[in-house]
Amino acid sequence: MKALSIVHPAGTQIASGLKTLEIRRWQPEVQAGEKILLVENEHFLTTDGQEEAGRAVAVITLGEIRAFRREDIPQACASYYEDGWLAWEIKTVKKIDNPFSIRAARKLYEIDDTVLHSVELTNIR
């Protein structure tokens, strides 16, 4: 399954349903309805191959991917607007009730989905 790292506190904000848009410069390569493990970490990962310890906080699916608009700032829990970025709609959120340690890597990356077998999930959205 695919995983996406996101810097604290944004992962927690998504897991709680507060943040409904993720803002990125790049288009994700995911299928409609594909589950993505959301991994919260402490630092922006800016170099390909860069990794650090993270914490799995939610399983999400994405909806529409479109241009980021100024009026999206509240839903993105963003502090500013920048032209040319993309807004990823977070369509569904299942919060992990017992977050666990897992590696965080840059962009979308593959993880073994068996890590979710003993995880308890709560539907947030």
Side-chain angles (χ1 to χ4, degrees), residues 17-36:
L18 179 63
K19 179 176 166 69
T20 59
L21 292 174
E22 174 60 9
I23 308 304
R24 300 278 173 135
R25 292 183 193 252
W26 50 278
Q27 180 80 28
E29 292 183 22
V30 295
Q31 302 298 318
E34 184 175 2
K35 294 178 183 177
I36 301 168

Side-chain angles (χ1 to χ4, degrees), residues 11 16 37 72 94 115-116:
S16 68
L37 179 66
D72 291 332
K94 293 182 179 185
V115 299
L116 295 177

Side-chain angles (χ1 to χ4, degrees), residues 7 12 14-15 22-23 26 29 34-35 39 44 46 66 83 120:
V7 176
T12 301
I14 291 170
E22 174 60 9
I23 308 304
W26 50 278
E29 292 183 22
E34 184 175 2
K35 294 178 183 177
V39 178
F44 287 103
T46 57
R66 58 169 174 75
D83 193 38
E120 295 179 27

Side-chain angles (χ1 to χ4, degrees), residues 4 24 33 41 44-45 53 57 61-62 65 67 72 77 85 94-95 102-103 106 109 111 117 123:
L4 178 69
R24 300 278 173 135
N41 60 302
F44 287 103
L45 305 176
V57 295
T61 60
L62 298 179
I65 310 297
D72 291 332
C77 296
W85 288 65
K94 293 182 179 185
K95 181 180 180 179
I102 192 167
R103 76 181 170 94
R106 189 166 189 261
Y109 57 99
I111 58 113
H117 286 311
N123 286 327

